[in-house]
Amino acid sequence: MQDTIQIEMEMLEKQAEWLKALAHTVRLCIARGLVGVGSCNVNKMKDCLGLPQSTVSQHLQVLRYAGIVKGEKDGTVVNYMIADDRVKELIKILDSK
């Protein structure tokens, strides 16, 4: 019984950390944008968000660490995309009225 509770608590902690990564306006905006366009690089994101590249990169680092986005290199440019389909479902739920 104790082992089951411990496993459930660890799972809930991972889920809470995943949600915390999305629980920021800029990061949620990045995720929503990537769901809409498929992939994007930091320069396009910074222009769209009106934020410095360093700020966007910091938010992307949080999302990457949480496994929410992944980056693929195309020469010197990294294109980011959603790495976890649960994000797409969550965005659909949040966007539904």
Side-chain angles (χ1 to χ4, degrees):
M1 178 77 172
Q2 184 67 24
D3 288 340
T4 303
I5 292 171
Q6 180 68 25
I7 291 169
E8 286 181 26
M9 291 303 290
E10 288 172 7
M11 181 184 69
L12 290 172
E13 188 170 323
K14 287 179 184 178
Q15 290 172 343
E17 290 300 318
W18 187 83
L19 288 169
K20 282 181 199 176
L22 283 170
H24 186 282
T25 307
V26 172
R27 292 192 291 268
L28 188 56
C29 185
I30 290 170
R32 177 178 279 133
L34 290 175
V35 167
V37 300
S39 68
C40 192
N41 64 51
V42 175
N43 282 324
K44 289 181 184 176
M45 286 185 215
K46 77 173 182 67
D47 292 342
C48 183
L49 294 167
L51 296 170
Q53 182 176 340
S54 60
T55 301
V56 175
S57 293
Q58 289 172 350
H59 286 293
L60 284 167
Q61 181 179 6
V62 172
L63 294 171
R64 276 194 318 265
Y65 182 76
I68 292 168
V69 300
K70 63 182 177 181
E72 290 184 2
K73 277 194 127 180
D74 182 17
T76 59
V77 176
V78 178
N79 290 305
Y80 293 92
M81 62 216 61
I82 298 297
D84 189 329
D85 287 337
R86 295 178 299 171
V87 174
K88 295 174 185 177
E89 294 301 317
L90 181 60
I91 296 297
K92 285 181 192 176
I93 291 167
L94 292 173
D95 285 347
S96 66
K97 305 273 182 212

